[in-house]
Amino acid sequence: MDIQPLKIDGAYVVTPRQFPDGRGVFMEGFRGDKLAEHLGHRMDVVQSNISVSSRGTVRGIHFADVPPSQAKYITVLSGSIIDFIVDIRVGSPTFGQWESVVLDTSERKAVYLAEGLGHAFCALEEDSTAMYLCSAPYTPEREHGINPLDTTVGLTLPDDIEPLLSPKDEAAPSLAQAEASGLLPRYDDCVRFYDSLRSA
């Protein structure tokens, strides 16, 4: 299993080693001990979510209050998605920037994003099935969103995709509006929280 950091602090791409034979393929989908070597702490997985999306579905940009927020480990079980990690931590050196990783059933990559980062994805195929391992349970009153089509953020979707959003995501504020209203996490608060996890 190869784990590499992305340019946004707290985000990683994970590429498993696959073992194919005449029966199919086997791989390790998640290794908490290997991930901990990079994070400095174990990811405490307390909830698993599965979403099935039609082609063009865009989910996000979602985030939760820090602490505890939600660290996420995302992979695809069928189909393919473009996964987006967005730095929405006010004061971060990469605030407002994003990275994307294609998750599919060929390379079977996964992405990890730390607490305080924004997450979104776009489904590239019908019935694309994503699985998320989460470090904290879903808590509606602590969950927030940013419109994934906000031109300031500028997520790049394929030209042949007609984005399909939920009413909640369509009504979500822009990054600037979320910052002005105090919704966004602060980078220094996130760093203190990461340090507390490492020292626990």
Side-chain angles (χ1 to χ4, degrees):
M1 178 173 286
D2 181 61
I3 302 175
Q4 295 295 326
L6 298 173
K7 68 179 180 182
I8 294 174
D9 180 43
Y12 294 84
V13 59
V14 180
T15 305
R17 183 181 177 192
Q18 300 188 54
F19 298 91
D21 61 23
R23 301 165 298 167
V25 64
F26 175 84
M27 76 208 72
E28 295 175 338
F30 175 78
R31 281 285 301 268
D33 57 336
K34 296 293 185 183
L35 187 60
E37 292 175 5
H38 296 267
L39 303 181
H41 66 87
R42 283 290 186 108
M43 179 184 179
D44 185 18
V45 177
V46 300
Q47 181 172 322
S48 172
N49 300 330
I50 295 175
S51 66
V52 182
S53 301
S54 58
R55 185 176 187 274
T57 294
V58 178
R59 299 181 187 268
I61 304 166
H62 299 152
F63 64 99
D65 292 338
V66 179
S69 188
Q70 272 189 334
K72 295 176 181 176
Y73 186 94
I74 304 104
T75 191
V76 158
L77 304 179
S78 66
S80 60
I81 66 174
I82 302 177
D83 199 88
F84 296 96
I85 302 100
V86 186
D87 195 345
I88 57 168
R89 301 167 299 187
V90 177
S92 168
T94 52
F95 175 74
Q97 298 180 33
W98 56 269
E99 291 200 69
S100 64
V101 179
V102 173
L103 305 181
D104 57 27
T105 55
S106 175
E107 293 189 82
R108 300 186 183 274
K109 292 181 178 180
V111 295
Y112 169 88
L113 59 149
E115 296 86 349
L117 291 172
H119 179 249
F121 74 75
C122 174
L124 301 177
E125 300 179 42
E126 291 295 330
D127 297 324
S128 290
T129 303
M131 183 177 71
Y132 321 56
L133 304 180
C134 303
S135 65
Y138 174 73
T139 309
E141 62 272 17
R142 303 180 63 84
E143 299 287 330
H144 308 287
I146 295 165
N147 191 306
L149 304 184
D150 177 11
T151 56
T152 301
V153 178
L155 299 183
T156 302
L157 304 178
D159 291 337
D160 60 346
I161 288 287
E162 183 66 33
L164 175 62
L165 278 63
S166 70
K168 183 177 179 180
D169 287 343
E170 280 187 336
S174 67
L175 181 66
Q177 290 168 333
E179 181 180 8
S181 63
L183 278 181
L184 301 182
R186 297 198 58 83
Y187 183 63
D188 52 359
D189 291 337
C190 292
V191 169
R192 280 193 291 270
F193 183 65
Y194 306 152
D195 288 343
S196 73
L197 294 174
R198 297 184 185 109
S199 61

